Amino acid sequence: MADSQPGSQHGAIDSVLNETRVFPPPAPERAGTPRWLVSSMDEYRAMHARSIEDPEAFWAEAAGELHWFEPWSKVLEWSLPDAKWFVGAKTNLCYNCVDRHVEQWRGEHIGIVWEGEPMPGGEPEVCRLSYAQLQTETAKFANVLKGRGVKAGDVVTIYMGMVPELAIAVLACARIGAVHSVIFGGFSAQAIADRVVDASSKLIITCDGAWRRGKVVPLKQNVDDAIDKLDANTVETVIVLKRCGNQVSRADGRDVDWHEQTNAASDDCPCAPLDSEHMSFLLYTSGSTGKPKGIQHTVGGFMVYTYLTSKYVFNLIPGLDEPKRDDAQNGQVFWCTADVGWITGHSYIIYGIMPTGVPTLMYEGAPNFPGDDRFWDIVQRHKVTQFYTAPTAIRAFMKWGDKHPKKHDLSSLQVLGTVGEPINPEAWMWYHRVIGGETCPIVDTWWQTETGGHMLTPLPGVTPTKPGSCTLPFFGIDAAIVNDQGKELPKGSGGLLAIRKPWPSMLRGIFGDRERFIETYWSKLPGMYFPGDGAHTDSDGYFWIMGRVDDVMNVSGHRLGTMEVESALVSHESVVEAAVVGMPHEIKGTGIAAFVTLGNGFDPTDDLKAALREHVGKQIGAIAKPDQIRFTGALPKTRSGKIMRRLLRSIAAGETLVTQDTSTLEDYAVVAKLQESEEG
Ligand code: WTA
């Protein structure tokens, strides 16, 4: 196997393995939860065994907890790599997130709690939307979409800040079977243009701007710039929500105002009964080529799997089966700090959480605005019970210091979660001690855009945890460590992570690229899904993720392809050739190092480095700006012309962030010669 990205392990996993500290699950009363849904490891093992031996019965039962307009004729039809779950059934994601609660008797209960960012000096801006309000708002906005010609199966692009209307837009698409493609607000105009073209999307929903650390990110301007890059009339409609009050242009006939439209729309728009396999959304993610790929998800299987993982992994017990009572949400408030622009936001802000009936909290802005304690202030004020974030954020909190969380009462917390990248044991311990008060279980959830939901994860209150390990498979997941040929390796070995059975929320394809779908996920290992991660198990069979084994970097928990950044660099007039590798980074986990060869007439100056960083920011987004750029006369290559990435990785890892000779030309070709025999 290829070597994994440096930095993703923080060099600490081995040391922890040596002392393997096991944290037993706390009793429910210590963690403040009414009870744990699964009560023992024996129960987990029995449920897991059943889910593997008789998946159809297991998933039929899970699906039975949700609403279907028409039942399935078969639970699973599987012909690798194509899965169909709940064949022939009809359902609707928006119905299960919103309408169902209203139909049952919980219309006045809160579905979404939202907090805005602006507040220097003022009161926090909070909005609580009941399921009944959400039903009205999603129906109205669905009618707006219909009025602009959107039909089931059409792709709607959403590029908004974290406002409640973002959830409404997503759910309105789900209501009528439109396929949403949400683009993270940190992506650039070029990235928007690429995605709009790939998905042939004719309608974009955006905001004038988004609040971020007290400043306005000009979303509408970015959309305008993206449209300028496209053929005329590609985009027919832009719906603009006013949020920040910044000046934006308004193109006649094309641009319409969110509120003008919704005020005039009827609130009568029943949820469309959609085929279980209907495409619910596309989400673009980075792979090992220059071009992000549109991952396709479904309605039925995606819904059932994200619902069941939400329920068990976060121990959500809203008490829906109990007689009508005011506290039927059991006082739980779930908060996932991701942006809806990533899969984590799709699955665990909206689609998996809302059907449970526990309110989901959305926060608009930065974790350190106006102060470094903003998140803990939110936890305290909203009495958050489940808190789900990324290791990169935890490392930043650690750095800002214990005094910020210590200012706040965090005793409402029942479960803590992490996602997106391997968590280093130091960060895990800090999370456990300072945020969890040593009584909250931590669920380290391993999964991907492609998997739709959690794959490897502890169950809170059940699974003994070890800092840095995502522990064991969720129900229905058959995971193994295999070698290059797909042969299973014994417990305790390292190799490639593989998933050997289909699961309901697995991706159904890469939009418009069947070949790449098969090539990327289904060709490396015979008969199995290949996620692209290296991992090992320990003697308890616990999984430890080592990081990507392909050319994908995990920067602050965000996926970026090395080739994507390289393509952005070489599109600059000064660059002849570029090689990008990951390097260890204290906060981001993996930082980006770029080795760049310049064309004749371009000087290797610090100004040019700054210009190149800006250029990458424009091509992709700020998250892709290299942390380090080194100019080199030539890139180190093997005799057969392959760039020696491993050598570049060790050069990048061996240096401090700011080198002494920032603007001199370095020559790695010499080092390459010395290393060549070793690297091959
Ligand atoms: C990495 C995010 C270690 C992994 C949900 C995977 C993790 C990629 C973990 C997917 C974890 C995610 N421990 N590594 N708990 N969770 N990863 O598609 O390399 O943005 O392949 O999905 O993140 O990133 P994606």
Side-chain angles (χ1 to χ4, degrees):
M1 74 184 246
D3 52 346
S4 56
Q5 295 291 339
S8 47
Q9 311 153 37
H10 303 273
I13 283 177
D14 287 339
S15 65
V16 166
L17 267 182
N18 293 339
E19 52 168 293
T20 306
R21 218 173 138 187
V22 181
F23 289 80
E29 57 279 10
R30 281 189 66 201
T33 177
R35 66 196 157 96
W36 299 118
L37 278 168
V38 176
S39 58
S40 67
M41 276 309 266
D42 283 347
E43 190 182 347
Y44 158 74
R45 288 192 202 285
M47 282 174 81
H48 187 261
R50 193 177 143 244
S51 72
I52 297 294
E53 282 151 24
D54 193 355
E56 301 206 20
F58 181 89
W59 288 112
E61 199 175 294
E65 295 182 23
L66 296 163
H67 171 271
W68 301 80
F69 294 101
E70 282 176 34
W72 48 90
S73 56
K74 206 167 177 328
V75 175
L76 170 66
E77 247 175 54
W78 173 231
S79 162
L80 187 135
D82 299 306
K84 283 191 182 148
W85 284 89
F86 310 107
V87 182
K90 298 232 182 318
T91 186
N92 186 292
L93 278 160
C94 185
Y95 189 91
N96 278 284
C97 288
V98 176
D99 296 54
R100 181 169 175 235
H101 300 301
V102 181
E103 303 295 326
Q104 288 181 337
W105 52 265
R106 293 183 295 276
E108 300 317 311
H109 285 179
I110 300 304
I112 295 179
V113 182
W114 175 82
E115 177 155 327
E117 187 192 82
M119 80 171 199
E123 287 298 302
E125 184 184 2
V126 173
C127 148
R128 291 188 174 81
L129 288 165
S130 68
Y131 293 112
Q133 285 169 311
L134 284 164
Q135 185 180 39
T136 306
E137 296 307 319
T138 55
K140 279 187 170 183
F141 194 68
N143 277 329
V144 171
L145 292 174
K146 279 190 185 169
R148 304 300 296 192
V150 174
K151 290 190 277 309
D154 290 350
V155 179
V156 169
T157 299
I158 302 179
Y159 181 72
M160 301 172 83
M162 284 282 286
V163 286
E165 288 84 353
L166 166 56
I168 290 166
V170 160
L171 289 164
C173 288
R175 216 172 165 86
I176 57 173
V179 177
H180 54 73
S181 163
V182 183
I183 303 175
F184 170 57
F187 278 120
S188 68
Q190 185 61 50
I192 303 169
D194 293 344
R195 286 156 175 77
V196 164
V197 168
D198 189 78
S200 307
S201 175
K202 293 181 174 13
L203 187 144
I204 304 180
I205 308 165
T206 191
C207 303
D208 51 1
W211 287 113
R212 190 79 192 168
R213 220 164 276 125
K215 297 211 175 72
V216 175
V217 181
L219 298 181
K220 170 63 164 60
Q221 184 60 53
N222 291 348
V223 168
D224 289 344
D225 294 348
I227 293 174
D228 283 347
K229 296 175 193 288
L230 305 174
D231 292 339
N233 305 327
T234 308
V235 174
E236 292 167 1
T237 303
V238 179
I239 302 176
V240 187
L241 176 84
K242 290 204 187 83
R243 163 64 184 147
C244 300
N246 52 320
Q247 278 295 316
V248 294
S249 66
R250 183 165 179 167
D252 272 349
R254 187 195 74 190
D255 296 357
V256 295
D257 179 83
W258 174 292
H259 289 295
E260 283 170 22
Q261 296 287 314
T262 47
N263 287 344
S266 146
D267 62 3
D268 181 17
C269 178
C271 294
L274 299 168
D275 191 274
S276 175
E277 283 293 312
H278 181 83
M279 201 200 315
S280 53
F281 65 86
L282 275 177
L283 188 57
Y284 283 83
T285 189
S286 297
S288 47
T289 71
K291 201 173 144 241
K293 47 198 180 186
I295 303 298
Q296 284 170 228
H297 280 291
T298 60
V299 173
F302 178 78
M303 171 176 82
V304 173
Y305 194 83
T306 54
Y307 161 73
L308 208 74
T309 46
S310 296
K311 173 174 161 179
Y312 283 112
V313 176
F314 299 119
N315 201 59
L316 300 180
I317 1 179
L320 301 188
D321 303 331
E322 293 160 38
K324 187 166 178 166
R325 44 171 243 245
D326 288 343
D327 63 342
Q329 286 171 314
N330 256 331
Q332 289 186 318
V333 176
F334 176 90
W335 183 21
C336 164
T337 70
D339 192 285
V340 171
W342 308 107
I343 190 68
T344 306
H346 281 60
S347 301
Y348 301 112
I349 292 179
I350 301 179
Y351 288 128
I353 304 298
M354 294 190 71
T356 68
V358 169
T360 182
L361 190 144
M362 276 175 87
Y363 166 58
E364 181 181 35
N368 54 354
F369 190 85
D372 289 347
D373 64 336
R374 182 64 185 266
F375 271 17
W376 318 123
D377 182 33
I378 292 176
V379 168
Q380 174 177 342
R381 275 188 289 104
H382 295 282
K383 298 196 170 50
V384 171
T385 47
Q386 275 78 9
F387 179 73
Y388 191 34
T389 198
T392 194
I394 298 170
R395 289 191 292 268
F397 301 141
M398 277 173 80
K399 198 171 164 200
W400 297 339
D402 294 12
K403 63 175 188 288
H404 301 292
K406 293 233 159 96
K407 270 186 262 173
H408 298 277
D409 177 5
L410 307 181
S411 62
S412 57
L413 291 167
Q414 300 170 0
V415 179
L416 300 176
T418 80
V419 57
E421 44 175 334
I423 181 163
N424 48 312
E426 296 77 2
W428 195 102
M429 285 305 302
W430 185 87
Y431 202 30
H432 169 73
R433 198 170 41 79
V434 182
I435 306 304
E438 297 184 9
T439 55
C440 263
I442 295 180
V443 290
D444 175 355
T445 59
W446 175 85
W447 60 294
Q448 310 179 292
T449 306
E450 292 87 339
T451 70
H454 305 143
M455 301 293 278
L456 301 173
T457 174
L459 296 185
V462 183
T463 316
T465 44
K466 303 178 190 180
S469 168
C470 55
T471 75
L472 297 166
F474 187 72
F475 304 132
I477 302 307
D478 179 18
I481 303 293
V482 301
N483 68 11
D484 287 354
Q485 275 79 50
K487 187 174 166 298
E488 181 167 10
L489 300 173
K491 260 187 199 173
S493 322
L496 301 174
L497 180 59
I499 311 295
R500 299 184 294 193
K501 282 201 163 61
W503 66 100
S505 62
M506 62 201 285
L507 79 163
R508 298 299 196 271
I510 294 177
F511 194 64
D513 203 341
R514 172 93 182 157
E515 231 169 82
R516 193 172 169 199
F517 169 60
I518 295 172
E519 222 269 315
T520 311
Y521 306 109
W522 304 101
S523 306
K524 300 253 180 346
L525 305 172
M528 298 169 217
Y529 171 78
F530 172 61
D533 278 339
H536 66 82
T537 46
D538 62 20
S539 53
D540 294 325
Y542 275 36
F543 287 84
W544 299 75
I545 305 294
M546 307 303 292
R548 303 288 308 193
V549 295
D550 53 10
D551 293 323
V552 172
M553 297 174 290
N554 200 323
V555 181
S556 303
H558 302 323
R559 268 165 74 166
L560 278 172
T562 51
M563 283 189 49
E564 217 179 324
V565 184
E566 287 165 6
S567 314
L569 283 165
V570 294
S571 71
H572 191 269
E573 51 168 6
S574 68
V575 178
V576 172
E577 203 175 21
V580 166
V581 295
M583 61 175 210
H585 189 286
E586 195 196 345
I587 302 287
K588 299 177 177 182
T590 302
I592 304 175
F595 294 80
V596 170
T597 310
L598 297 174
N600 283 339
F602 290 96
D603 293 329
T605 60
D606 284 345
D607 283 352
L608 183 53
K609 280 186 187 175
L612 288 176
R613 282 170 49 78
E614 280 313 301
H615 180 73
V616 173
K618 279 227 164 71
Q619 293 295 305
I620 305 174
I623 52 169
K625 287 184 183 174
D627 297 279
Q628 211 182 80
I629 295 182
R630 288 150 178 261
F631 295 122
T632 164
L635 288 170
K637 289 184 186 159
T638 59
R639 240 169 297 208
S640 60
K642 267 180 32 199
I643 292 176
M644 298 168 75
R645 290 181 177 278
R646 204 189 304 168
L647 170 61
L648 292 180
R649 277 201 279 270
S650 52
I651 292 170
E655 296 274 343
T656 49
L657 270 181
V658 186
T659 53
Q660 295 295 308
D661 48 353
T662 40
S663 62
T664 53
L665 201 60
E666 298 173 71
D667 187 1
Y668 300 114
V670 184
V671 202
K673 288 211 179 71
L674 296 172
Q675 298 262 322
E676 184 165 20
S677 50
E678 198 188 306
E679 183 131 342

